[in-house]
Amino acid sequence: MNEYGNAHAGYPAGELYIGDYHLSLRRAADALTDLSLIRILSALHGLVDLKRPLLPYNVRPGDPKAITPEKVAVHAARLGVHDADVIFLGGQDYIRLLRPCVPHLFTPLSGGMHHQRGQCRQAREQSELRRQWWQAAADLHAAHHPA
């Protein structure tokens, strides 16, 4: 039984989202880090592991059923992101959900979806860009968590 009391457990989160934009983000994330460290920020479920079973849904940030920043903060605390370099790939609505609890969040994407997809392609293809992004994430973490 899943969280809704249905017998069907759903699909792994890493396979549920199939739109071109999400796939671009995901491929860049795959190039940036180990699969075990990647999380999806779901507007309904919060931060979820790629293997977590989910049923399809249609909820966007700000919808009545959407997860709140407070609940995202609980997820982030469980993951220990307060003490980690964090790169977030996604749109502004999702950044607004995560930034309150991860002030050191590095968000390298800018512009519209088409531009962001190009940036993701560059991250996949250019190891130097990935290195720069991780350095920027480390610098932001250090600035928010001085030794």
Side-chain angles (χ1 to χ4, degrees):
M1 301 296 272
N2 68 11
E3 64 196 276
Y4 301 107
N6 297 321
H8 186 278
Y11 307 92
E15 298 172 21
L16 180 65
Y17 305 92
I18 57 172
D20 290 339
Y21 178 66
H22 175 81
L23 292 176
S24 293
L25 300 174
R26 174 61 195 282
R27 289 180 193 120
D30 290 352
L32 281 162
T33 194
D34 187 82
L35 291 178
S36 67
L37 298 174
I38 296 173
R39 298 295 180 269
I40 293 173
L41 180 51
S42 160
L44 180 62
H45 303 285
L47 290 167
V48 297
D49 183 273
L50 296 176
K51 294 178 183 177
R52 178 174 170 191
L54 300 176
L55 290 172
Y57 63 92
N58 187 14
V59 175
R60 300 192 48 78
D63 288 354
K65 291 184 177 183
I67 193 153
T68 64
E70 295 79 15
K71 288 183 182 175
V72 172
V74 171
H75 296 177
R78 282 189 204 135
L79 291 170
V81 297
H82 67 284
D83 195 28
D85 300 342
V86 180
I87 297 175
F88 181 79
L89 305 176
Q92 290 298 316
D93 290 344
Y94 291 87
I95 292 170
R96 282 190 285 275
L97 276 173
L98 195 52
R99 174 123 16 235
C101 59
V102 188
H104 59 278
L105 189 68
F106 178 59
T107 57
L109 303 182
S110 62
M113 280 188 193
H114 181 73
H115 185 70
Q116 290 181 14
R117 288 180 67 199
Q119 291 171 306
C120 287
R121 183 175 49 256
Q122 289 175 331
R124 286 192 321 268
E125 296 171 354
Q126 300 173 18
S127 61
E128 178 58 21
L129 180 59
R130 293 191 302 272
R131 188 199 65 72
Q132 289 171 5
W133 284 7
W134 279 117
Q135 185 59 56
D139 292 347
L140 278 171
H141 182 269
H144 282 89
H145 300 88

